[in-house]
Amino acid sequence: MSHRPRIETIDRVLYLNPGSAGPRRIKLPVTLATLELTASGLQPIIHELSCAK
């Protein structure tokens, strides 16, 4: 699924899928991603957003 949040490194290439921060339409978490550049490299983080109902 294209909206499934995921962080993966293959052959030193970072693949980051932030998921979807829009209205929930499928049973996946509502997420977004940030990417921080540090002295030791890239630090990807997936953040799950809470949904008020």
Side-chain angles (χ1 to χ4, degrees):
M1 278 187 183
S2 65
H3 290 82
R4 186 175 307 276
R6 187 171 176 151
I7 299 171
E8 187 173 5
T9 302
I10 300 173
D11 295 328
R12 298 183 57 211
V13 175
L14 173 66
Y15 295 91
L16 175 61
N17 185 337
S20 176
R24 179 177 286 186
R25 292 174 283 149
I26 52 180
K27 293 182 179 183
L28 291 173
V30 177
T31 57
L32 61 83
T34 58
L35 185 60
E36 184 177 342
L37 178 59
T38 67
S40 60
L42 297 174
Q43 182 65 39
I45 302 170
I46 298 208
H47 305 272
E48 187 167 342
L49 306 176
S50 62
C51 295
K53 292 184 180 182

